[in-house]
Amino acid sequence: MSEREESNMPDESNEPDRQDADGAHGEAGTPQPAAAEPEQTEEAAPSAAASAPGPDDLSDEDRALLEGEAAAIEAERAAFEAKSAAQLDELQRLRAEYVNYRNRTERERAGDRDATTASVIKAMLPALDGLDLAEKHGDLAEGPLALVAQKLRASFDQLGVVRLGEVGEAFDIDKHEAVAQLPNPEVTEMVVADVVQSGYRVGERTLRAAKVAVFVPAE
């Protein structure tokens, strides 16, 4: 073989070195995937709940302790509920007492007000009787006295004063006082024939019954 042919042949002695170099370059330049961590199975890592002691694993002393704690909690709960119920009953009782006190106070105030008004009006009844008498005689048809009578009666109306006794109404012993009885065949019950003196009432309080003459059924 000539020297030229020998020089053109590939040098096989350098192949292992090139492969080693390529292998080394591959290991150094290309990142290798990290090795996967082994998964931990349930058998290898049991849960804390599974490892916790159950009721059957407790000793008699621990079980008695737990039962005592549960009984104490139940007793506290029952005591709290009983105390709450007692407080509610007490609150309701106090509220009822307050409502009764307020109603009683309002009634007393209303009664005192009516009594005061009644006493003042009762003292002025003679003046009203004088006006009624003047009206019957025609003295209130006109003039200053008529204006005075109008204003006085308007003031009595504002105070809630009600006049009692009207001709033709049925006799009522609660607001009428019969001073004369006149037989009349045309009536079937006692009826007011004439008002001798008017009566007056404030609220439910009768200041004075009306004095009236009444028709009574004729026998």
Side-chain angles (χ1 to χ4, degrees), residues 96-135:
E97 290 180 356
Y98 170 74
V99 171
N100 293 334
Y101 168 77
R102 184 184 62 185
N103 294 337
R104 182 173 64 254
T105 303
E106 291 178 354
R107 288 194 301 268
E108 291 176 354
R109 289 178 178 176
D112 294 342
R113 182 174 60 253
D114 292 344
T116 302
T117 303
S119 63
V120 173
I121 294 174
K122 194 171 184 178
M124 299 182 66
L125 290 183
L128 292 177
D129 294 337
L131 292 177
D132 292 340
L133 184 61
E135 187 175 17

Side-chain angles (χ1 to χ4, degrees), residues 65-108:
L65 181 62
L66 290 176
E67 291 177 354
E69 292 292 337
I73 293 174
E74 181 64 22
E76 291 180 358
R77 186 186 64 81
F80 176 77
E81 291 180 352
K83 184 177 180 180
S84 299
Q87 291 177 346
L88 180 60
D89 292 340
E90 181 67 15
L91 181 61
Q92 292 177 346
R93 184 184 65 82
L94 292 176
R95 182 179 181 276
E97 290 180 356
Y98 170 74
V99 171
N100 293 334
Y101 168 77
R102 184 184 62 185
N103 294 337
R104 182 173 64 254
T105 303
E106 291 178 354
R107 288 194 301 268
E108 291 176 354

Side-chain angles (χ1 to χ4, degrees), residues 7-215:
S7 61
N8 292 331
M9 294 180 63
D11 189 357
E12 296 179 358
S13 62
N14 293 333
E15 287 296 326
D17 295 337
R18 185 179 298 113
Q19 293 177 356
D20 294 340
D22 293 341
H25 181 270
E27 293 178 357
T30 304
Q32 301 296 321
E37 295 181 359
E39 296 182 357
Q40 187 175 6
T41 61
E42 295 181 356
E43 296 180 355
S47 62
S51 61
D56 296 336
D57 298 333
L58 296 176
S59 63
D60 294 341
E61 182 179 356
D62 292 338
R63 185 177 294 105
L65 181 62
L66 290 176
E67 291 177 354
E69 292 292 337
I73 293 174
E74 181 64 22
E76 291 180 358
R77 186 186 64 81
F80 176 77
E81 291 180 352
K83 184 177 180 180
S84 299
Q87 291 177 346
L88 180 60
D89 292 340
E90 181 67 15
L91 181 61
Q92 292 177 346
R93 184 184 65 82
L94 292 176
R95 182 179 181 276
E97 290 180 356
Y98 170 74
V99 171
N100 293 334
Y101 168 77
R102 184 184 62 185
N103 294 337
R104 182 173 64 254
T105 303
E106 291 178 354
R107 288 194 301 268
E108 291 176 354
R109 289 178 178 176
D112 294 342
R113 182 174 60 253
D114 292 344
T116 302
T117 303
S119 63
V120 173
I121 294 174
K122 194 171 184 178
M124 299 182 66
L125 290 183
L128 292 177
D129 294 337
L131 292 177
D132 292 340
L133 184 61
E135 187 175 17
K136 287 182 178 180
H137 287 82
D139 297 335
L140 298 183
E142 57 184 8
L145 188 59
L147 183 60
V148 173
Q150 182 180 358
K151 291 183 177 180
L152 183 61
R153 287 171 175 171
S155 299
F156 275 74
D157 291 339
Q158 291 179 356
L159 293 174
V161 179
V162 178
R163 181 192 294 266
L164 302 178
E166 296 290 341
V167 175
E169 65 181 357
F171 179 81
D172 187 350
I173 194 174
D174 292 332
K175 61 181 182 179
H176 299 141
E177 180 184 351
V179 296
Q181 295 185 2
L182 307 174
N184 189 335
E186 296 182 358
V187 298
T188 57
E189 60 179 356
M190 296 179 66
V191 179
V192 175
D194 186 26
V195 179
V196 179
Q197 186 182 54
S198 295
Y200 295 94
R201 181 182 65 204
V202 177
E204 300 298 328
R205 187 188 300 268
T206 300
L207 303 179
R208 186 181 68 189
K211 294 181 180 181
V212 298
V214 296
F215 288 131

